[in-house]
Amino acid sequence: MNAGHSLFKAMAAVTVVMTVALLGFGTVRAAEPIKIGAFFDLSGPAASIGTPTKLVAEMVVNKINKEGGINGRPLELVIGDTEGDPTKALLVAKRLVEKDQVTALIGPTRTGTGMAVKAYTEKERIPVIMTVGGDPVIAGGKFGPYTWTFKTPQRTSTAVAKVYEFLKAKGWTKVALLTATDGFGKDGLEWLTRLAPEYGIDIVADEAFDVNDTDMTTQLVKIKATPAKALICWTIGPAGARVAKNVKQLGMTLPLFQCHGQPDPKYVELAGAAAEGSYMPSTKLMVADQLPDSDPQKAVIQEFIHLYKDVYQFDRQYPINTHSGYAWDAIMILANAMRQVGTDREALRSAIEQTRGYVGISGIYNLSAEDHNGLGADSLVIVQVVQGGWKLVTP
């Protein structure tokens, strides 16, 4: 009896231990994080854009995890620095995919680095939601397939359409172009040229510059001699501010339009008084307080601003700019898809592509197989720099 009883107790103890172990294993498995690769320009010329993009990515992941994660699993960001270099961007992407085994990728920062990694990520069949401005990453044709590639910033073509709508309404149909020679600038030039006839725009001058040029007066002197009624500059970063300064130095009075990458306090800081009066297409983020309460994006944008400024206080070092919401939207779209289908890459890609009615910081997204961005011209507004701030000119 005693021996049998002891054996029974021992077996019961083993059963309990095994049960606890199995339950514990199940708990660990359930809490296993979902890895997302996030690679941006954390150094190099576009670090002022890439670094706050990373901070926003971390901010939104914290928000999602505090709210329970993805079906009980937390998100984990694995960060990479592209340094603004296409070769390094590709190396970082390979490391995130092959070594870190991420489920999806967010980033990079610039069109050139995006194109540098696209062929690889398409071949690897991994979902990528890019935060680049240029269209080539999702253009298809000569730019290659984009089955696995999406992006949250408005297309260049969408921003050009918004500018041309405004110019046509103003009657400023004779325009001069001044575009950068990098991938983003070339993409801008292509769409500015292609869409001009559709809006009755007459391009009377077409000049170019390198993003590292310190002076653009030679090009601007040529433009000044034309009958242009407006000047459109297409570049991101400090080069746009240098153009604004040169325009002022030459006493040019025609309206200056910057691209959708320039609504940024840094532009005003670098250009100084020369920024005054500049027009540009922008996400609604820059004029949130000027939006009507009926705007469905207003509450979402206000929550973002509260977290960014009041909770995390990122604004002290990186004031909010039009780029700020791109990583938020990318991760939210990815997270919404994961909640529906889990982490299987093929199912995830399909769910992202079927995103409809997502109310984000940069617009209301409606993606499709043909459109891996999902934003129209109505997602942008025209803003003007007035007394160092941003004035909503037209919805």
Side-chain angles (χ1 to χ4, degrees), residues 115-129:
M115 287 303 292
V117 305
K118 192 179 106 162
Y120 169 74
T121 52
E122 286 286 327
K123 179 175 69 72
E124 290 295 315
R125 299 168 68 84
I126 184 166
V128 184
I129 305 184

Side-chain angles (χ1 to χ4, degrees), residues 183-263:
F184 182 75
K186 288 177 180 177
D187 188 42
L189 176 60
E190 178 178 345
W191 284 106
L192 286 161
T193 305
R194 187 189 302 189
L195 295 181
E198 186 178 327
Y199 291 88
I201 301 296
D202 181 15
I203 298 172
V204 298
D206 174 7
E207 298 290 333
F209 62 89
D210 185 274
V211 291
N212 295 313
D213 287 349
T214 57
D215 187 278
M216 290 77 165
T217 53
T218 300
Q219 296 95 318
L220 289 168
V221 166
K222 295 178 185 177
I223 289 171
K224 191 176 181 181
T226 72
K229 298 298 181 184
L231 168 61
I232 302 174
C233 174
W234 213 266
T235 188
I236 60 171
R242 292 195 288 271
V243 169
K245 283 186 172 182
N246 289 161
V247 166
K248 186 174 180 64
Q249 289 162 358
L250 290 171
M252 298 173 72
T253 57
L254 79 176
L256 171 61
F257 284 78
Q258 298 281 359
C259 77
H260 58 312
Q262 286 293 9

Side-chain angles (χ1 to χ4, degrees), residues 96-328:
L96 292 171
V97 173
E98 297 171 18
K99 180 183 176 185
D100 297 302
Q101 298 285 299
V102 298
T103 297
L105 291 167
I106 303 296
T109 303
R110 302 188 72 124
T111 304
T113 47
M115 287 303 292
V117 305
K118 192 179 106 162
Y120 169 74
T121 52
E122 286 286 327
K123 179 175 69 72
E124 290 295 315
R125 299 168 68 84
I126 184 166
V128 184
I129 305 184
M130 295 196 177
T131 52
V132 308
D135 287 11
V137 294
I138 56 167
K142 65 180 181 180
F143 298 111
Y146 57 93
T147 307
W148 296 82
T149 310
F150 305 83
K151 82 184 193 86
T152 50
Q154 282 81 1
R155 293 172 179 267
T156 298
S157 51
T158 302
V160 169
K162 191 70 179 183
V163 171
Y164 278 173
E165 283 176 7
F166 185 71
L167 290 174
K168 184 178 180 180
K170 285 286 189 180
W172 299 337
T173 55
K174 291 186 183 297
V175 305
L177 307 181
L178 183 58
T179 58
T181 55
D182 63 358
F184 182 75
K186 288 177 180 177
D187 188 42
L189 176 60
E190 178 178 345
W191 284 106
L192 286 161
T193 305
R194 187 189 302 189
L195 295 181
E198 186 178 327
Y199 291 88
I201 301 296
D202 181 15
I203 298 172
V204 298
D206 174 7
E207 298 290 333
F209 62 89
D210 185 274
V211 291
N212 295 313
D213 287 349
T214 57
D215 187 278
M216 290 77 165
T217 53
T218 300
Q219 296 95 318
L220 289 168
V221 166
K222 295 178 185 177
I223 289 171
K224 191 176 181 181
T226 72
K229 298 298 181 184
L231 168 61
I232 302 174
C233 174
W234 213 266
T235 188
I236 60 171
R242 292 195 288 271
V243 169
K245 283 186 172 182
N246 289 161
V247 166
K248 186 174 180 64
Q249 289 162 358
L250 290 171
M252 298 173 72
T253 57
L254 79 176
L256 171 61
F257 284 78
Q258 298 281 359
C259 77
H260 58 312
Q262 286 293 9
D264 183 341
K266 196 71 179 176
Y267 169 73
V268 178
E269 177 191 327
L270 293 175
E276 191 71 12
S278 297
Y279 292 94
M280 56 201 79
S282 172
T283 59
K284 295 177 181 179
L285 177 59
M286 302 308 294
V287 288
D289 58 336
Q290 299 171 54
L291 297 174
D293 291 341
S294 59
D295 191 308
Q297 285 182 254
K298 187 169 185 176
V300 177
I301 293 172
Q302 286 177 329
E303 180 193 11
F304 174 90
I305 292 172
H306 168 65
L307 288 172
Y308 192 94
K309 287 186 173 182
D310 304 329
V311 177
Y312 291 91
Q313 299 181 344
F314 293 147
D315 202 54
R316 293 183 178 183
Q317 186 175 2
Y318 299 103
I320 283 179
N321 61 50
T322 196
H323 301 271
S324 300
Y326 297 152
W328 173 288

